[in-house]
Amino acid sequence: DGGITQSPKYLFRKEGQNVTLSCEQNLNHDAMYWYRQDPGQGLRLIYYSQIVNDFQKGDIAEGYSVSREKKESFPLTVTSAQKNPTAFYLCASSTSTGQGWTEAFFGQGTRLTVV
Amino acid sequence: ILNVEQSPQSLHVQEGDSTNFTCSFPSSNFYALHWYRWETAKSPEALFVMTLNGDEKKKGRISATLNTKEGYSYLYIKGSQPEDSATYLCAFRYNNNDMRFGAGTRLTVKP
């Protein structure tokens, strides 16, 4: 089945440690996105990538890093510089047609807790 | 930071009621407006992608309209059912770039 897979579903991290969240898609989509959700708030854009080896910062990129070495994969690293990393993280992808970018397809999310 | 505003923040209705939500977005550099439904413990799923001023889309009991000149979109649900309970998100695309989401409207439909 085609889709987006995020792993792990739950992640616990000690303060001061970097951690990498995985996002893989087999939809052959060009664009991939990372969003963060905090309780009572909407989805905020961290990073996005529209082609391999290129990515752009979103509104809250500080303390995060990404790579896009393969079309299928867009891992997000939460670094120790991120002051408040406990949150729910969603990965999404979309593709471009002759009429523009399509709707986004989402993974199941990763809930990160700093302990 | 681009502001995408949704109202109301939450809504409680009785089964059979019709309801509507609003999404406001910057009227300049418009590329597309998306609506998503996000049920608890699931991933958000797309309802509509709207690109032209005056667009009206319909899927079953749910419909949406778009006004790009004044920067708003309405989502309507006719005859709400308990299974419509979810958070409804709108997302704004500008200049064919990234998607920016509103905070969502949480709908609860009581039997």
Side-chain angles (χ1 to χ4, degrees):
Chain A
D1 287 336
I4 300 180
T5 302
Q6 288 186 243
S7 61
K9 192 171 181 180
Y10 299 96
L11 189 56
F12 295 87
R13 187 196 93 175
K14 291 183 179 179
E15 264 191 67
Q17 287 182 338
N18 291 357
V19 64
T20 297
L21 281 58
S22 170
C23 179
E24 304 276 332
Q25 54 99 359
N26 60 4
L27 300 167
N28 199 33
H29 284 178
D30 296 302
M32 297 186 75
Y33 312 82
W34 274 106
Y35 293 91
R36 167 181 172 143
Q37 187 192 36
D38 294 283
Q41 296 192 34
L43 300 177
R44 291 186 291 166
L45 182 65
I46 305 172
Y47 270 99
Y48 68 101
S49 167
Q50 292 185 321
I51 56 172
V52 174
N53 292 323
D54 186 56
F55 47 82
Q56 306 296 326
K57 292 182 180 180
D59 295 328
I60 55 166
E62 186 175 348
Y64 298 98
S65 66
V66 293
S67 62
R68 188 85 187 277
E69 296 177 3
K70 299 186 298 182
K71 190 176 185 179
E72 307 79 35
S73 180
F74 192 41
L76 174 74
T77 297
V78 185
T79 74
S80 56
Q82 169 51 234
K83 295 179 181 177
N84 187 19
T86 295
F88 183 69
Y89 292 87
L90 261 182
C91 179
S93 71
S94 66
T95 194
S96 179
T97 69
Q99 296 177 325
W101 292 98
T102 67
E103 69 273 27
F105 293 79
F106 288 85
Q108 296 278 359
T110 293
R111 187 167 298 280
L112 173 65
T113 304
V114 174
V115 296
Chain B
I1 294 179
L2 295 170
N3 284 327
V4 180
E5 305 286 342
Q6 288 190 249
S7 62
Q9 190 173 33
S10 65
L11 199 53
H12 294 255
V13 302
Q14 290 294 134
E15 182 175 355
D17 288 348
S18 293
T19 187
N20 65 85
F21 326 130
T22 303
C23 173
S24 301
F25 50 85
S27 56
S28 59
N29 298 326
F30 176 87
Y31 188 81
L33 191 286
H34 298 192
W35 281 101
Y36 294 85
R37 175 166 59 201
W38 194 359
E39 296 178 68
T40 303
K42 294 186 178 180
S43 304
E45 291 185 341
L47 289 171
F48 305 114
V49 175
M50 309 179 80
T51 56
L52 298 176
N53 185 44
D55 251 357
E56 291 188 23
K57 301 267 186 175
K58 187 175 181 182
K59 185 183 290 187
R61 293 179 291 100
I62 304 177
S63 61
T65 61
L66 178 68
N67 184 324
T68 60
K69 292 182 180 180
E70 297 183 33
Y72 65 84
S73 176
Y74 294 137
L75 186 78
Y76 301 92
I77 302 179
K78 184 177 178 182
S80 303
Q81 300 297 309
E83 58 265 31
D84 295 329
S85 296
T87 296
Y88 291 82
L89 301 171
C90 70
F92 171 70
R93 276 195 188 276
Y94 69 103
N95 284 343
N96 198 21
N97 285 326
D98 57 274
M99 288 187 300
R100 302 301 175 101
F101 282 81
T105 293
R106 182 184 293 274
L107 173 67
T108 304
V109 183
K110 300 176 183 176

